[in-house]
Amino acid sequence: MPGTVILGAQWGDEGKGKITDLMADRMDFVVRYAGGNNAGHTVVCGEDEFKLHLMPSGILYPHITTVIGNGVVITPKVLLEEMDGLHQRGISCGKLRISCNAHLVMPYHLAFDHLGELSLGNAKLGTTHRGIGPAYADKADRLGMRVQDLLDEKIFKAKLEVALERKNAILTKAFDQEPFSVDEILAEYMGYAERLAPHIDDTSLLIARALDDGKKVLFEGAQGTLLDLDHGTYPFVTSSSPTIGGVFSGTGVGPKYLENIIGVAKAYVTRVGYGPFPTEQENECGELLGARGVEFGTTTGRKRRCGWLDLVLLRYAARVNSLTGIALTKLDVLSEFERLKVCVGYSYQGKIYHEFPPHQTIFHKCEPEYLELAGWSEDISGVTERADLPEAAVRYVEFVEQGAGVPVVLISVGPKRTQTIITREEYIEPIEEGPYLYREDFDPPAK
Ligand code: GDP
Ligand code: IMO
Ligand code: MG
C-alpha cells in the first residue's frame, strides 16, 4: 500500500487531522498537497492537543518525513511560528521538506483578501482572511512569488517589484490604501529565507523516489470536496483543489502509486463561512449538534453551521474522488438524538434530485428529502469494536455505506487516537496506542 490519500468529503473540518495522525503511525512520509493556513487540523495525543495549519499532521512521529507540496501556499511567518511552537513542545521539524515550487502568501494578499470581502458586501464569502484566494489568483496570473525565489535575493527583488507595481496601483487608486514597500517586504522575507533554506527541496522527486523504493506515503488533504474550486459550491469555495486531482497537481506525483483514497466525513455536516447548505439546522437541533461537537473553527474560532448528514453530497464526494473508503467521524456526537434525519435527495420545483444538482440555483433553493432513522442514547465514546456499538448506531453506519456506495473503513468516536473503531482491517491496520509517540525519546515501531 504505497500511496494513501486522506481528504475531506464535506465542507472541511471533518477530522482529517485526527485520521492523518492515526494512520501516520504506519507511514514513512506525510505530504500536504493543497491549501494554506486557512486549514486548521487538530491532533490529540494523550492529553495534548495540537492545532496545525501548514504543518502536515504526521509531524508528531519522529520517524516521519513531512512534506509541504507545491500545491500549498505558504505564509512563511506562520510556518516558522508553527515550527517554533512545536519545537517548544519537544517536537523536531528537522525532517520537514518544503517544495521549491510552492507559492508564497505575501502581505498584499492578506490586504486584497480583506478588501475583496469588504467590496462584496452581503455577497461576501466568509473567507478566513489569510490571503489564500489572492495568492492562488497570482499563481494563475503568473505573478506569484515562489519558495525557490527566497534562495536568490536578486530574483526575489526583481519579481517583487513587478508584482508590487501592479498591486500598489490597484491599492492606491481603486481602494485608496497605502502602497506596500519593496524594501520592507524584501527585508522581512529574506529573514524567513535564512531559516527555511535548509528545508527547501525538489519534493516531487523526493516522493517519487520514496514510492519507487516501496516507502509508504500518506497524502493529507486540506479543506473539503465541496470547497473545491472546480467541484465545490462555487463561488463559496476556497481557491485550491482539495479533491483527488489536487494530489497530483499539488505534489508532482502520478496516480499509479495510489491504493487507498479515504474520504473523511462527519456523521453530520458542518460548514464555516457563507454559501448554500441544504441540511442546515438553524434551530435547537443545530445548536445541540454544535454544542456536543464543539463546532468552532480551528483557524478563526467562528461558530460552525451544523446540519444533518447529506448522503447526496457524500455520494458525490465518493464519485469525484474515487473514494475507496470513508472514515466516519464524530459518531459519538449523535448519541442522545431520539431520531436521526439523513438527506437522500433534493426536491426542487416538483422534481427530486438524487445526484448533486447541475445548476447552483437548484442547490441554493432545494428542500432536502429526509429519511428518519432511530437514534441511540448510549455514550459510545469509549467503544473500540463495531460489535459493541448500539444496534441503531450500526444501522446508521450501514445506511451511510449504502447511500455513499463506499465502505466505512473507520469510525471515530472521539478526538483521541484510542477513540477509534477500525471496521475494515484490509484497508487500515489496527492502531497500537502510544499516547506520547511524539516525544523525542520515542522508539518508532518496527515496520
Ligand atoms: P480537520 O480540519 O478536518 O482536521 O478537522 P478540525 O480539526 O478542524 O475539526 C475537527 C474537530 O473534531 C477537532 O476538534 C477534533 O479534535 C475533533 N474530533 C475529531 N474526531 C472526533 C470524533 O470522532 N468525535 C469528537 N467528539 N470529536 C472529534
Ligand atoms: P480544514 O483543512 C473549513 C472556508 C472558509 C470560507 C471558504 C473560503 O481545516 O478543513 P478561504 O480563506 O479559503 O479563501 O475561504 O473556505 N474554509 C474552510 N472551512 N475548513 C477549512 O480547512 C477551510 N479552509 C477554508 O471558511 O468559507
Ligand atoms: Mg479544520
PDB file of all heavy atoms in Angstrom, residues 1-5 211 216-217 219 244 254-262 322-325 426-427:
ATOM      1  N   MET A   1       0.837  -1.198   0.000  1.00  0.00           N
ATOM      2  CA  MET A   1       0.000   0.000   0.000  1.00  0.00           C
ATOM      3  C   MET A   1       0.878   1.257   0.000  1.00  0.00           C
ATOM      4  O   MET A   1       1.006   1.916   1.016  1.00  0.00           O
ATOM      5  CB  MET A   1      -0.900  -0.016   1.235  1.00  0.00           C
ATOM      6  CG  MET A   1      -1.924   1.084   1.228  1.00  0.00           C
ATOM      7  SD  MET A   1      -2.802   1.209   2.793  1.00  0.00           S
ATOM      8  CE  MET A   1      -1.504   1.618   3.953  1.00  0.00           C
ATOM      9  N   PRO A   2       1.534   1.573  -1.112  1.00  0.00           N
ATOM     10  CA  PRO A   2       2.489   2.691  -1.045  1.00  0.00           C
ATOM     11  C   PRO A   2       1.834   4.057  -0.870  1.00  0.00           C
ATOM     12  O   PRO A   2       2.276   4.864  -0.064  1.00  0.00           O
ATOM     13  CB  PRO A   2       3.243   2.611  -2.368  1.00  0.00           C
ATOM     14  CG  PRO A   2       2.410   1.777  -3.279  1.00  0.00           C
ATOM     15  CD  PRO A   2       1.486   0.953  -2.448  1.00  0.00           C
ATOM     16  N   GLY A   3       0.741   4.331  -1.611  1.00  0.00           N
ATOM     17  CA  GLY A   3       0.160   5.680  -1.563  1.00  0.00           C
ATOM     18  C   GLY A   3      -1.256   5.684  -1.018  1.00  0.00           C
ATOM     19  O   GLY A   3      -2.123   4.980  -1.517  1.00  0.00           O
ATOM     20  N   THR A   4      -1.489   6.462   0.030  1.00  0.00           N
ATOM     21  CA  THR A   4      -2.822   6.601   0.625  1.00  0.00           C
ATOM     22  C   THR A   4      -3.179   8.086   0.651  1.00  0.00           C
ATOM     23  O   THR A   4      -2.321   8.917   0.943  1.00  0.00           O
ATOM     24  CB  THR A   4      -2.809   6.085   2.080  1.00  0.00           C
ATOM     25  OG1 THR A   4      -2.465   4.701   2.058  1.00  0.00           O
ATOM     26  CG2 THR A   4      -4.169   6.244   2.759  1.00  0.00           C
ATOM     27  N   VAL A   5      -4.428   8.381   0.350  1.00  0.00           N
ATOM     28  CA  VAL A   5      -4.882   9.772   0.415  1.00  0.00           C
ATOM     29  C   VAL A   5      -5.935   9.896   1.505  1.00  0.00           C
ATOM     30  O   VAL A   5      -6.818   9.044   1.635  1.00  0.00           O
ATOM     31  CB  VAL A   5      -5.506  10.226  -0.924  1.00  0.00           C
ATOM     32  CG1 VAL A   5      -5.972  11.682  -0.841  1.00  0.00           C
ATOM     33  CG2 VAL A   5      -4.518  10.052  -2.069  1.00  0.00           C
ATOM     34  N   LEU A 211       8.386   6.422  -3.133  1.00  0.00           N
ATOM     35  CA  LEU A 211       7.348   5.471  -3.551  1.00  0.00           C
ATOM     36  C   LEU A 211       7.974   4.335  -4.356  1.00  0.00           C
ATOM     37  O   LEU A 211       7.603   3.157  -4.190  1.00  0.00           O
ATOM     38  CB  LEU A 211       6.280   6.198  -4.373  1.00  0.00           C
ATOM     39  CG  LEU A 211       5.324   7.069  -3.543  1.00  0.00           C
ATOM     40  CD1 LEU A 211       4.609   8.085  -4.419  1.00  0.00           C
ATOM     41  CD2 LEU A 211       4.298   6.203  -2.809  1.00  0.00           C
ATOM     42  N   LYS A 216       5.983   4.082   2.358  1.00  0.00           N
ATOM     43  CA  LYS A 216       4.559   4.395   2.460  1.00  0.00           C
ATOM     44  C   LYS A 216       4.354   5.903   2.587  1.00  0.00           C
ATOM     45  O   LYS A 216       4.942   6.530   3.479  1.00  0.00           O
ATOM     46  CB  LYS A 216       3.943   3.682   3.656  1.00  0.00           C
ATOM     47  CG  LYS A 216       3.922   2.171   3.473  1.00  0.00           C
ATOM     48  CD  LYS A 216       3.299   1.497   4.658  1.00  0.00           C
ATOM     49  CE  LYS A 216       3.288  -0.007   4.467  1.00  0.00           C
ATOM     50  NZ  LYS A 216       2.717  -0.700   5.613  1.00  0.00           N
ATOM     51  N   VAL A 217       3.543   6.413   1.704  1.00  0.00           N
ATOM     52  CA  VAL A 217       3.325   7.863   1.657  1.00  0.00           C
ATOM     53  C   VAL A 217       1.847   8.169   1.857  1.00  0.00           C
ATOM     54  O   VAL A 217       0.986   7.577   1.196  1.00  0.00           O
ATOM     55  CB  VAL A 217       3.804   8.450   0.303  1.00  0.00           C
ATOM     56  CG1 VAL A 217       3.549   9.954   0.256  1.00  0.00           C
ATOM     57  CG2 VAL A 217       5.283   8.150   0.075  1.00  0.00           C
ATOM     58  N   PHE A 219      -0.927  11.149   1.660  1.00  0.00           N
ATOM     59  CA  PHE A 219      -1.196  12.493   1.149  1.00  0.00           C
ATOM     60  C   PHE A 219      -2.348  13.086   1.958  1.00  0.00           C
ATOM     61  O   PHE A 219      -3.449  12.531   1.958  1.00  0.00           O
ATOM     62  CB  PHE A 219      -1.545  12.435  -0.339  1.00  0.00           C
ATOM     63  CG  PHE A 219      -0.426  11.899  -1.191  1.00  0.00           C
ATOM     64  CD1 PHE A 219      -0.337  10.547  -1.486  1.00  0.00           C
ATOM     65  CD2 PHE A 219       0.565  12.747  -1.664  1.00  0.00           C
ATOM     66  CE1 PHE A 219       0.704  10.040  -2.253  1.00  0.00           C
ATOM     67  CE2 PHE A 219       1.621  12.255  -2.441  1.00  0.00           C
ATOM     68  CZ  PHE A 219       1.688  10.893  -2.730  1.00  0.00           C
ATOM     69  N   ILE A 244      -9.230  14.899  -5.302  1.00  0.00           N
ATOM     70  CA  ILE A 244      -8.157  13.968  -5.653  1.00  0.00           C
ATOM     71  C   ILE A 244      -7.184  14.527  -6.691  1.00  0.00           C
ATOM     72  O   ILE A 244      -5.978  14.264  -6.625  1.00  0.00           O
ATOM     73  CB  ILE A 244      -8.758  12.608  -6.111  1.00  0.00           C
ATOM     74  CG1 ILE A 244      -7.682  11.536  -6.219  1.00  0.00           C
ATOM     75  CG2 ILE A 244      -9.545  12.733  -7.397  1.00  0.00           C
ATOM     76  CD1 ILE A 244      -7.128  11.109  -4.899  1.00  0.00           C
ATOM     77  N   GLY A 254       2.336  10.990  -9.860  1.00  0.00           N
ATOM     78  CA  GLY A 254       1.240  10.464 -10.679  1.00  0.00           C
ATOM     79  C   GLY A 254       0.337   9.490  -9.941  1.00  0.00           C
ATOM     80  O   GLY A 254       0.654   9.061  -8.828  1.00  0.00           O
ATOM     81  N   PRO A 255      -0.784   9.091 -10.584  1.00  0.00           N
ATOM     82  CA  PRO A 255      -1.800   8.282  -9.898  1.00  0.00           C
ATOM     83  C   PRO A 255      -1.458   6.804  -9.710  1.00  0.00           C
ATOM     84  O   PRO A 255      -2.118   6.126  -8.949  1.00  0.00           O
ATOM     85  CB  PRO A 255      -3.028   8.431 -10.802  1.00  0.00           C
ATOM     86  CG  PRO A 255      -2.501   8.819 -12.127  1.00  0.00           C
ATOM     87  CD  PRO A 255      -1.225   9.550 -11.894  1.00  0.00           C
ATOM     88  N   LYS A 256      -0.415   6.307 -10.393  1.00  0.00           N
ATOM     89  CA  LYS A 256      -0.189   4.857 -10.351  1.00  0.00           C
ATOM     90  C   LYS A 256       0.154   4.335  -8.944  1.00  0.00           C
ATOM     91  O   LYS A 256       0.030   3.158  -8.675  1.00  0.00           O
ATOM     92  CB  LYS A 256       0.906   4.449 -11.340  1.00  0.00           C
ATOM     93  CG  LYS A 256       2.300   4.837 -10.932  1.00  0.00           C
ATOM     94  CD  LYS A 256       3.345   4.296 -11.907  1.00  0.00           C
ATOM     95  CE  LYS A 256       4.733   4.737 -11.495  1.00  0.00           C
ATOM     96  NZ  LYS A 256       5.780   4.333 -12.405  1.00  0.00           N
ATOM     97  N   TYR A 257       0.580   5.224  -8.067  1.00  0.00           N
ATOM     98  CA  TYR A 257       1.003   4.776  -6.733  1.00  0.00           C
ATOM     99  C   TYR A 257      -0.143   4.673  -5.726  1.00  0.00           C
ATOM    100  O   TYR A 257       0.034   4.142  -4.647  1.00  0.00           O
ATOM    101  CB  TYR A 257       2.017   5.767  -6.146  1.00  0.00           C
ATOM    102  CG  TYR A 257       3.275   5.937  -6.960  1.00  0.00           C
ATOM    103  CD1 TYR A 257       3.454   7.042  -7.766  1.00  0.00           C
ATOM    104  CD2 TYR A 257       4.289   4.981  -6.894  1.00  0.00           C
ATOM    105  CE1 TYR A 257       4.614   7.212  -8.501  1.00  0.00           C
ATOM    106  CE2 TYR A 257       5.450   5.143  -7.622  1.00  0.00           C
ATOM    107  CZ  TYR A 257       5.602   6.258  -8.432  1.00  0.00           C
ATOM    108  OH  TYR A 257       6.749   6.418  -9.146  1.00  0.00           O
ATOM    109  N   LEU A 258      -1.293   5.228  -6.083  1.00  0.00           N
ATOM    110  CA  LEU A 258      -2.359   5.323  -5.076  1.00  0.00           C
ATOM    111  C   LEU A 258      -3.141   4.027  -4.940  1.00  0.00           C
ATOM    112  O   LEU A 258      -3.591   3.458  -5.931  1.00  0.00           O
ATOM    113  CB  LEU A 258      -3.340   6.452  -5.421  1.00  0.00           C
ATOM    114  CG  LEU A 258      -2.780   7.865  -5.443  1.00  0.00           C
ATOM    115  CD1 LEU A 258      -3.916   8.862  -5.521  1.00  0.00           C
ATOM    116  CD2 LEU A 258      -1.907   8.146  -4.223  1.00  0.00           C
ATOM    117  N   GLU A 259      -3.312   3.591  -3.714  1.00  0.00           N
ATOM    118  CA  GLU A 259      -4.136   2.405  -3.494  1.00  0.00           C
ATOM    119  C   GLU A 259      -5.385   2.707  -2.703  1.00  0.00           C
ATOM    120  O   GLU A 259      -6.450   2.212  -3.006  1.00  0.00           O
ATOM    121  CB  GLU A 259      -3.301   1.334  -2.798  1.00  0.00           C
ATOM    122  CG  GLU A 259      -3.026   0.188  -3.761  1.00  0.00           C
ATOM    123  CD  GLU A 259      -2.005  -0.771  -3.239  1.00  0.00           C
ATOM    124  OE1 GLU A 259      -1.845  -0.887  -2.008  1.00  0.00           O
ATOM    125  OE2 GLU A 259      -1.353  -1.402  -4.086  1.00  0.00           O
ATOM    126  N   ASN A 260      -5.243   3.540  -1.676  1.00  0.00           N
ATOM    127  CA  ASN A 260      -6.390   3.879  -0.833  1.00  0.00           C
ATOM    128  C   ASN A 260      -6.693   5.359  -0.896  1.00  0.00           C
ATOM    129  O   ASN A 260      -5.795   6.189  -0.717  1.00  0.00           O
ATOM    130  CB  ASN A 260      -6.090   3.517   0.638  1.00  0.00           C
ATOM    131  CG  ASN A 260      -6.445   2.074   0.919  1.00  0.00           C
ATOM    132  OD1 ASN A 260      -7.262   1.486   0.209  1.00  0.00           O
ATOM    133  ND2 ASN A 260      -5.844   1.511   1.944  1.00  0.00           N
ATOM    134  N   ILE A 261      -7.956   5.678  -1.120  1.00  0.00           N
ATOM    135  CA  ILE A 261      -8.376   7.075  -1.116  1.00  0.00           C
ATOM    136  C   ILE A 261      -9.516   7.175  -0.099  1.00  0.00           C
ATOM    137  O   ILE A 261     -10.637   6.734  -0.347  1.00  0.00           O
ATOM    138  CB  ILE A 261      -8.838   7.535  -2.515  1.00  0.00           C
ATOM    139  CG1 ILE A 261      -7.718   7.280  -3.539  1.00  0.00           C
ATOM    140  CG2 ILE A 261      -9.231   9.018  -2.491  1.00  0.00           C
ATOM    141  CD1 ILE A 261      -8.158   7.380  -4.982  1.00  0.00           C
ATOM    142  N   ILE A 262      -9.172   7.687   1.070  1.00  0.00           N
ATOM    143  CA  ILE A 262     -10.127   7.713   2.177  1.00  0.00           C
ATOM    144  C   ILE A 262     -10.741   9.111   2.287  1.00  0.00           C
ATOM    145  O   ILE A 262     -10.024  10.105   2.468  1.00  0.00           O
ATOM    146  CB  ILE A 262      -9.422   7.390   3.529  1.00  0.00           C
ATOM    147  CG1 ILE A 262      -8.562   6.121   3.425  1.00  0.00           C
ATOM    148  CG2 ILE A 262     -10.442   7.304   4.673  1.00  0.00           C
ATOM    149  CD1 ILE A 262      -9.303   4.836   3.351  1.00  0.00           C
ATOM    150  N   SER A 322     -13.121   9.190  -6.405  1.00  0.00           N
ATOM    151  CA  SER A 322     -12.890   7.734  -6.484  1.00  0.00           C
ATOM    152  C   SER A 322     -12.572   7.161  -5.102  1.00  0.00           C
ATOM    153  O   SER A 322     -11.606   6.402  -4.945  1.00  0.00           O
ATOM    154  CB  SER A 322     -11.732   7.396  -7.423  1.00  0.00           C
ATOM    155  OG  SER A 322     -12.068   7.666  -8.728  1.00  0.00           O
ATOM    156  N   LEU A 323     -13.368   7.517  -4.120  1.00  0.00           N
ATOM    157  CA  LEU A 323     -13.071   7.054  -2.758  1.00  0.00           C
ATOM    158  C   LEU A 323     -13.077   5.530  -2.689  1.00  0.00           C
ATOM    159  O   LEU A 323     -13.936   4.874  -3.280  1.00  0.00           O
ATOM    160  CB  LEU A 323     -14.111   7.591  -1.764  1.00  0.00           C
ATOM    161  CG  LEU A 323     -14.180   9.093  -1.539  1.00  0.00           C
ATOM    162  CD1 LEU A 323     -15.185   9.416  -0.428  1.00  0.00           C
ATOM    163  CD2 LEU A 323     -12.801   9.679  -1.190  1.00  0.00           C
ATOM    164  N   THR A 324     -12.125   4.986  -1.941  1.00  0.00           N
ATOM    165  CA  THR A 324     -12.134   3.543  -1.677  1.00  0.00           C
ATOM    166  C   THR A 324     -12.709   3.268  -0.282  1.00  0.00           C
ATOM    167  O   THR A 324     -13.049   2.133   0.029  1.00  0.00           O
ATOM    168  CB  THR A 324     -10.717   2.950  -1.758  1.00  0.00           C
ATOM    169  OG1 THR A 324      -9.886   3.642  -0.806  1.00  0.00           O
ATOM    170  CG2 THR A 324     -10.122   3.112  -3.143  1.00  0.00           C
ATOM    171  N   GLY A 325     -12.778   4.303   0.534  1.00  0.00           N
ATOM    172  CA  GLY A 325     -13.314   4.110   1.876  1.00  0.00           C
ATOM    173  C   GLY A 325     -13.703   5.444   2.499  1.00  0.00           C
ATOM    174  O   GLY A 325     -13.257   6.503   2.055  1.00  0.00           O
ATOM    175  N   GLU A 426      -8.694  -4.769   6.250  1.00  0.00           N
ATOM    176  CA  GLU A 426      -7.983  -4.925   4.988  1.00  0.00           C
ATOM    177  C   GLU A 426      -7.576  -3.564   4.416  1.00  0.00           C
ATOM    178  O   GLU A 426      -6.698  -3.464   3.577  1.00  0.00           O
ATOM    179  CB  GLU A 426      -8.788  -5.741   3.966  1.00  0.00           C
ATOM    180  CG  GLU A 426     -10.094  -5.107   3.485  1.00  0.00           C
ATOM    181  CD  GLU A 426     -11.305  -5.482   4.357  1.00  0.00           C
ATOM    182  OE1 GLU A 426     -11.132  -5.644   5.575  1.00  0.00           O
ATOM    183  OE2 GLU A 426     -12.415  -5.581   3.807  1.00  0.00           O
ATOM    184  N   TYR A 427      -8.225  -2.488   4.892  1.00  0.00           N
ATOM    185  CA  TYR A 427      -7.879  -1.145   4.427  1.00  0.00           C
ATOM    186  C   TYR A 427      -6.949  -0.451   5.415  1.00  0.00           C
ATOM    187  O   TYR A 427      -6.055   0.272   5.044  1.00  0.00           O
ATOM    188  CB  TYR A 427      -9.133  -0.276   4.267  1.00  0.00           C
ATOM    189  CG  TYR A 427     -10.017  -0.686   3.124  1.00  0.00           C
ATOM    190  CD1 TYR A 427     -11.032  -1.611   3.301  1.00  0.00           C
ATOM    191  CD2 TYR A 427      -9.824  -0.140   1.858  1.00  0.00           C
ATOM    192  CE1 TYR A 427     -11.844  -1.981   2.248  1.00  0.00           C
ATOM    193  CE2 TYR A 427     -10.626  -0.504   0.798  1.00  0.00           C
ATOM    194  CZ  TYR A 427     -11.642  -1.426   0.997  1.00  0.00           C
ATOM    195  OH  TYR A 427     -12.435  -1.793  -0.037  1.00  0.00           O
TER     196      TYR A 427
END
